Amino acid sequence: MTGPSVPAADWWRQAVVYQVYPRSFADANGDGTGDLVGITHRIPHLVDLGVDAVWLSPFYPSALADGGYDVDDHRDVDPKIGTLAEFDAMVAALHAAGIKLIVDIVPNHSSDRHPWFRAALAAGPGSPERDRYVFRHSDDGPPTDWTASFGGPTWEPVGDGWWYLHMFAPEQPDWNWDHPDVREDHERTLRFWADRGVDGFRIDVAHYLTKDLSGPLPTQAEIEAGTVPEGTHPFNDRDDVHEVYRAWRKVFDEYDPPRMAVAEAVVPTHRRPRYASADGLGQAFTFDLLEADFDAAQFRAVVEQNLALARAAGSTSTWVLSNHDQVRHTSRYALPTGTSLPAWLLSDGTTPRADEARGLRRARAATAFLLALPGSAYLYQGEELGLPEVADLPGVVLQDPTWIRSLGTTKGRDGCRVPLPWNTDGPSFGFGPEDGRPAHLPQPPWFGRFSVQAQAGDPRSTLAFYRTALARRRELVGGEDLDPLDSPDGVVAFARPGGWVCATNFTTRAVPLPAGEVVLCSSGDPSGTGVTELAGGTTVWLRRAD
Ligand code: NOJ
């Protein structure tokens, strides 16, 4: 949210941020991969949608061992995606359209093609070059039995009796954050992008980075049992990681307005405020809503808890239903409660059967709920189209390292990363030019039905709903308070400052509307014209004299 009443430094506190996964957004040069020029061309879509900021997932040079989160050079653009000049042009065009830009920073690891990692391998054991990463000697198998995020051990041998640590894929060696070069280099990276006009940073796995492997080290079983004391874990959510963020805050504050940051910190809820503190990153993601069932009690509890946590940190909460790591929320809500999503993906989306109409109805209701909450709303590209997960991608096209590293037992995240459909037809549904190469992940034949073109002229479409919701939010949003309202069982209702009321019916039966003039409805016509009751699986916003 921006406007005369919001100090420039606080623009992010109640912003609507739209996540662009650049390789799958828009392909201007026709090589099958999305690019920066493609993003620039599609800025009118973002303006029509009404977002305040874009969060751009990694666009840095990368071999794509992990979708770009394996970074070869943090201060450049992947030549397959564009150039620094095209980046500058994109920033200028976004800013001219009144949209801010947040870029992804990946500080826990580099790629194994990073010049410093190559130098570390070449220089050999005990060298200063190796000291920038986390190497351990062991003649007897991996130094610990820890399991990496995509499966397999966290240690990779380099052939001389030494192993390097990687919390993710082997192509993502972890930095040694005790090394001053690593700290200085990351501050240089932050300034590099801030100097180019970037307004903020999304910090990847902010809970890792610092490590203390001086031992004795816990086993995987001990880690999973949660017996390691908080704050002194060998690699996770250590108290000393905040020294890094306090130093970064000084860098952010060199700019006017200060650059913002949002932590991806997957930590116990009570540890999250540390990441969101004003002398640290300033804001932290909460994924609690994303993990909740479509259930009034769960949604209510998540909101209460997270608003309290954000207040404790002096920050605002973040709200997320979909991102590039998750099964799209339209599809999640289409499945029976308790469905194992990996098992559903492995069945190519056949078992259990998805009730798509129910999924979309609930997704729209949950989105309207989220957009009425105090704090920042993070939307993921394609959710404004109600795009379902592409659950039936065959193994041969999958790019997520999870697929290979789980030996074909877990499909991973490609189903939410399929390039967007812009047009009803054409070789890539308008993702790339007519004569371009096919999209880098195959789009299903039904994609055109969800395209921007198919929905743009339909006043009841999901796209029309998002546009209306974001426009209304801009008119209604003011102070950061939320007052819970009494409501029937299965309904959550609350008031925001200025006479804005939101009510969500999580049941399947209609209930009476709260008092006020309906200004948004998540089902049917988004304007809410003629709505006389709060239907099941529906959110309404109302305006009333306060
Ligand atoms: C979190 C990112 O969201 C995910 O996509 C990535 O695989 C890991 N961090 C590793 O960087």
Side-chain angles (χ1 to χ4, degrees):
M1 185 189 72
T2 49
S5 57
V6 181
D10 288 345
W11 68 265
W12 51 272
R13 291 183 71 90
Q14 297 207 75
V16 176
V17 183
Y18 180 93
Q19 183 189 357
V20 168
Y21 187 74
R23 292 174 175 83
S24 298
F25 187 68
D27 171 21
N29 67 7
D31 66 355
T33 296
D35 44 46
L36 300 186
V37 174
I39 297 170
T40 305
H41 287 169
R42 292 296 183 182
I43 289 175
H45 173 70
L46 304 175
V47 171
D48 290 346
L49 196 53
V51 303
D52 299 304
V54 162
W55 151 27
L56 189 58
S57 280
F59 51 88
Y60 314 108
S62 170
L64 301 182
D66 177 22
Y69 285 87
D70 46 320
V71 178
D72 299 348
D73 178 352
H74 227 315
R75 294 186 289 273
D76 204 352
V77 175
D78 191 313
K80 293 189 289 304
I81 287 193
T83 62
L84 280 170
E86 286 166 359
F87 181 88
D88 293 341
M90 178 189 72
V91 175
L94 283 166
H95 284 170
I99 297 174
K100 304 225 183 303
L101 179 64
I102 297 170
V103 299
D104 225 305
I105 296 293
V106 189
N108 178 65
H109 42 266
S110 70
S111 80
D112 60 351
R113 307 196 314 172
H114 191 288
W116 282 6
F117 189 71
R118 291 185 166 173
L121 291 186
S127 61
E129 287 85 352
R130 283 213 177 172
D131 203 25
R132 294 187 183 122
Y133 291 88
V134 184
F135 278 86
R136 285 291 174 280
H137 184 265
S138 169
D139 289 324
D140 188 20
T144 64
D145 70 342
W146 300 339
T147 307
S149 272
F150 305 129
T154 54
W155 296 97
E156 188 70 7
V158 295
D160 52 16
W162 288 73
W163 305 64
Y164 67 87
L165 181 74
H166 58 90
M167 300 312 301
F168 294 90
E171 295 86 352
Q172 294 167 293
D174 279 38
W175 289 111
N176 170 15
W177 273 89
D178 285 337
H179 201 301
D181 284 0
V182 172
R183 295 194 180 219
E184 279 161 26
D185 196 62
H186 280 81
E187 290 181 18
R188 207 180 135 204
T189 295
L190 296 173
R191 289 194 183 92
F192 179 86
W193 295 111
D195 288 346
R196 300 191 101 90
V198 158
D199 304 281
F201 302 98
R202 178 264 187 190
I203 310 303
D204 189 63
V205 288
H207 51 291
Y208 282 169
L209 279 66
T210 56
K211 317 261 171 10
D212 180 1
L213 305 191
S214 54
L217 295 174
T219 62
Q220 180 70 23
E222 285 164 341
I223 289 173
E224 283 168 16
T227 52
V228 186
E230 278 181 350
T232 57
H233 191 287
F235 59 79
N236 187 15
D237 188 27
R238 294 178 52 76
D239 289 343
D240 58 16
V241 76
H242 298 288
E243 287 164 21
V244 174
Y245 301 137
R246 280 192 286 273
W248 288 12
R249 172 51 55 189
K250 294 200 176 88
V251 176
F252 302 150
D253 289 351
E254 289 167 9
Y255 295 86
D256 182 21
R259 296 331 190 213
M260 63 76 73
V262 55
E264 185 211 24
V266 186
V267 294
T269 1
H270 67 277
R271 304 270 303 170
R272 203 179 296 135
R274 293 162 186 258
Y275 293 85
S277 74
D279 67 347
L281 294 176
Q283 198 179 40
F285 278 121
T286 165
F287 300 119
D288 299 351
L289 211 51
L290 181 157
E291 284 161 7
D293 297 328
F294 187 77
D295 174 86
Q298 289 186 39
F299 269 51
R300 187 183 290 117
V302 164
V303 169
E304 276 170 14
Q305 188 182 30
N306 281 287
L307 290 183
L309 286 168
R311 264 195 301 275
S315 183
T316 54
S317 196
T318 56
W319 306 107
V320 183
L321 287 168
S322 280
N323 65 32
H324 66 296
D325 291 331
Q326 305 291 337
V327 170
R328 286 184 176 278
H329 66 281
T330 306
S331 295
R332 291 201 312 270
Y333 292 139
L335 295 166
T337 305
T339 299
S340 155
L341 296 172
W344 177 70
L345 288 174
L346 207 58
S347 79
D348 287 341
T350 60
T351 316
R353 198 186 63 80
D355 180 343
E356 287 195 356
R358 189 187 74 166
L360 184 57
R361 185 178 184 94
R362 290 180 167 189
R364 284 168 60 153
T367 299
F369 178 91
L370 168 149
L371 287 170
L373 294 170
S376 314
Y378 283 80
L379 311 179
Y380 177 52
Q381 66 179 38
E383 69 167 84
E384 75 277 25
L385 307 175
L387 210 58
E389 185 82 0
V390 181
D392 59 354
L393 290 171
V396 286
V397 306
L398 294 179
Q399 301 172 7
D400 189 332
T402 304
W403 175 245
I404 297 290
R405 295 190 62 77
S406 70
L407 306 175
T409 58
T410 307
K411 273 186 150 182
R413 303 159 293 176
D414 291 310
C416 68
R417 299 177 178 182
V418 175
L420 290 192
W422 294 91
N423 298 339
T424 48
D425 46 26
S428 63
F429 299 105
F431 168 65
E434 288 286 309
D435 57 354
R437 294 182 50 193
H440 69 96
L441 278 168
Q443 301 157 301
W446 48 264
F447 241 32
R449 213 160 26 92
F450 288 87
S451 64
V452 175
Q453 190 181 44
Q455 299 194 34
D458 174 1
R460 297 166 80 91
S461 67
T462 301
L463 180 58
F465 158 69
Y466 268 76
R467 287 177 176 167
T468 309
L470 266 56
R472 294 278 177 279
R473 177 183 159 108
R474 213 173 262 264
E475 294 157 16
L476 292 166
V477 76
E480 295 175 1
D481 294 333
L482 175 150
D483 290 322
L485 298 176
D486 287 340
S487 46
D489 275 355
V491 175
V492 181
F494 55 85
R496 299 286 312 275
W500 175 16
V501 168
C502 173
T504 302
N505 182 354
F506 289 84
T507 76
T508 50
R509 305 169 316 276
V511 298
L513 280 175
E517 174 207 356
V518 178
V519 293
L520 180 80
C521 182
S522 66
S523 311
D525 175 356
S527 75
T529 310
V531 170
T532 54
E533 58 182 12
L534 178 53
T538 299
T539 294
V540 291
W541 293 356
L542 307 104
R543 202 185 333 229
R544 68 186 191 200
D546 226 8

